[in-house]
Amino acid sequence: MKQILKGAAIAAIVLIVFIAINVICNINGINLDSISSGPVIAVCAMLIFRESTRNRENKEDQK
């Protein structure tokens, strides 16, 4: 259950960052393509989650 909550929190943070980037770009007249930004958001969230869980597993193995 802890992993699910951690994953949801990471996904929410990544989405908030990308929404802020999208708003800033739209204010400046740059239109970001949603078809290409969707997979980028998903990949970023997966990589951050993978890296955060891998560090934790390495620490537990060393103990």
Side-chain angles (χ1 to χ4, degrees):
M1 187 67 168
K2 190 185 254 188
Q3 298 289 341
I4 293 172
L5 293 175
K6 190 175 193 178
I10 289 172
I13 291 169
V14 169
L15 282 173
I16 290 169
V17 169
F18 273 96
I19 288 171
I21 291 170
N22 203 353
V23 168
I24 292 169
C25 288
N26 284 339
I27 289 172
N28 292 326
I30 302 169
N31 190 13
L32 298 178
D33 188 21
S34 63
I35 293 174
S36 63
S37 64
V40 171
I41 293 169
V43 169
C44 287
M46 286 189 297
L47 290 175
I48 292 170
F49 178 75
R50 181 179 169 206
E51 192 64 31
S52 67
T53 56
R54 183 170 51 173
N55 287 340
R56 187 176 199 184
E57 289 173 358
N58 289 341
K59 289 178 184 176
E60 289 176 357
D61 290 341
Q62 291 175 355
K63 289 182 182 181

